[in-house]
Amino acid sequence: MAREELTRLTGNRNGECGEDDCPNVYRTERGTFVVQGDVSNAFAPPQGEGLVGIPESVLREAVRALGW
């Protein structure tokens, strides 16, 4: 899936978090979410899965964008 196919819910491209290398939350057309963040080693996830860490502010921004 290409990034262009996702709806970006966070990062207002104001220079603080508008680059491709910052934490972000995206929504897919299937209604699932893709989270971009720093790799976390909090525990070993099942094979085929990964862990990322994102700031609470990014998650709150995504929730606001969805109107929840």
Side-chain angles (χ1 to χ4, degrees):
M1 174 180 310
R3 184 183 306 224
E4 296 77 27
E5 298 176 61
L6 304 173
T7 301
R8 188 174 178 168
L9 300 174
T10 57
N12 59 13
R13 301 195 185 277
N14 65 2
E16 294 177 24
C17 192
E19 302 298 324
D20 291 342
D21 61 349
C22 62
N24 278 297
V25 177
Y26 301 86
R27 188 172 192 180
T28 70
E29 61 183 28
R30 295 177 300 161
T32 60
F33 298 92
V34 175
V35 177
Q36 175 186 355
D38 295 328
V39 174
S40 173
N41 295 315
F43 62 90
Q47 187 171 353
E49 295 183 6
L51 303 175
V52 298
I54 61 168
E56 180 180 328
S57 61
V58 173
L59 187 56
R60 288 181 181 274
E61 184 180 349
V63 168
R64 278 192 303 272
L66 291 167
W68 292 355

